[in-house]
Amino acid sequence: MSPDSVDFHFDPMCPFAYQTSVWIRRVRDELGVTVNWRFFSLEWINHVEGKKFPWQRDWSYGWSLMRVGAVLRRRDMADLDRWYAAIGAELHERGGSPHRREVARELLADLGLGADTLDEALADPSTHDEIRRDHTRVTDAGGFGVPTLFFEDGQCLFGPVLVDPPQGAQARALWQVVTGMAALPGVFELQRPKSPADAAHIAERLRPYVRGRDWVSIDRGRVIDLDAVVNGERDE
C-alpha cells in the first residue's frame, strides 16, 4: 500500500531537490499524500576545513533561508511549503537570488508571511538547532545529500533525482516506483546512466541556478565547475 505521508529533506539551494519537490507536490495533490518538509544543509555536509560553519556566520545562504523556514514551520507546515516553493522558483526557474537578504524579505512580504520573519529567525538561536536536528537525522541514516525521503516505517531513500518533474499519470507511476523500492529494503541502488544528450539537457536546466548562485559548488570535498558544465566545456 502507498504510504500516507513522507518526510522530504531539502536544501533550498539544491536544483535537483527543487525539481523533486515540484513532483512530490503533484503527488500530494493527486493522491492526498501528506508532505512534511525537513531540512538538510549542503553547506554543512560539504564544509571545508578552516572555513566557518554556516551557523557561525551572520548570513549563510541556504542555512539562513532554512532558519526562516524553521520559524514558518512552527506556525504552519503550509507556510514552509509556500516559502520553499517561492525561493525555489526564484532561484531554479528564474535565476534570481533569494539567498540575498533583501530578496528574501521581498519574497516573504509578497507571500504575506511578513518581511520581519527574517529578523525573527536570525534573532532566534534555536533555529540553528532545528536545522541541525533535521540534518543529523539524514546523516545518522547514512544519507549524504538531498532530496532524501523518510517514510512512516522508517525507510530512507535518496532521490529521486529529477530535472523534468513528471505530472499526471507519470507522477503517480514514479511514486509507485519510489514507494516500491522503499518496500524492498535489500535494494540499495537503481541508477540511469547519462548519455551526452542527457548531460546537455541537464546543463540547460541548470542555467537559472548557475546564473543566480553566488557560491562555488562543492560535492563531498570536490569543487564542481558548473559554469563549464552549463557552457558545454565539461560533461559532469
Side-chain angles (χ1 to χ4, degrees):
M1 293 180 64
S2 176
D4 294 325
S5 68
V6 61
D7 290 355
F8 187 113
H9 287 256
F10 71 94
D11 183 309
M13 301 293 95
C14 179
F16 301 110
Y18 170 70
Q19 298 297 344
T20 305
S21 77
V22 173
W23 162 73
I24 201 67
R25 288 188 180 93
R26 291 171 178 168
V27 170
R28 178 186 64 192
D29 295 343
E30 292 253 355
L31 301 177
V33 175
T34 297
V35 179
N36 303 306
W37 300 106
R38 306 297 181 197
F39 306 120
F40 183 86
S41 174
L42 294 174
E43 294 166 274
W44 186 5
I45 201 73
N46 292 316
H47 176 256
V48 176
E49 187 73 27
K51 299 288 187 179
K52 290 183 178 180
F53 285 96
W55 56 84
Q56 295 173 322
R57 302 177 186 273
D58 293 335
W59 180 263
S60 191
Y61 294 143
W63 186 273
S64 294
L65 293 178
M66 289 188 286
R67 293 183 69 190
V68 174
V71 169
L72 294 174
R73 186 170 64 181
R74 294 170 189 174
R75 299 176 187 171
D76 193 323
M77 185 68 76
D79 289 346
L80 173 54
D81 178 50
R82 293 168 59 211
W83 174 238
Y84 179 28
I87 58 181
E90 179 66 17
L91 174 59
H92 303 297
E93 300 289 349
R94 296 188 289 274
S97 301
H99 46 280
R100 296 180 181 173
R101 294 190 202 215
E102 64 275 16
V103 179
R105 288 184 193 278
E106 290 175 7
L107 289 173
L108 284 166
D110 290 345
L111 292 169
L113 297 172
D116 58 351
T117 301
L118 186 146
D119 302 303
E120 179 184 347
L122 298 185
D124 183 352
S126 70
T127 56
H128 290 303
D129 301 328
E130 203 159 325
I131 299 169
R132 277 192 287 257
R133 281 195 297 270
D134 281 2
H135 178 99
T136 302
R137 181 194 189 195
V138 175
T139 56
D140 283 351
F144 53 84
V146 287
T148 292
L149 311 180
F150 280 86
F151 295 95
E152 297 159 304
D153 64 355
Q155 288 294 318
C156 170
L157 294 180
F158 171 72
V161 177
L162 306 174
V163 292
D164 294 308
Q167 53 189 320
Q170 289 188 334
R172 296 192 300 272
L174 179 57
W175 178 245
Q176 291 177 340
V177 170
V178 171
T179 56
M181 185 169 175
L184 299 168
V187 178
F188 291 98
E189 191 166 326
L190 178 67
Q191 189 173 37
R192 185 193 304 275
K194 300 179 186 68
S195 70
D198 293 330
H201 178 64
I202 292 169
E204 184 61 32
R205 294 292 283 132
L206 286 174
R207 283 188 184 277
Y209 164 73
V210 171
R211 187 167 64 246
R213 69 184 182 136
D214 297 323
W215 56 87
V216 174
S217 294
I218 298 175
D219 182 17
R220 282 170 274 178
R222 183 171 63 99
V223 175
I224 302 176
D225 188 351
L226 285 177
D227 298 276
V229 173
V230 166
N231 291 326
E233 299 166 17
R234 291 176 62 186
D235 178 10
E236 197 60 67

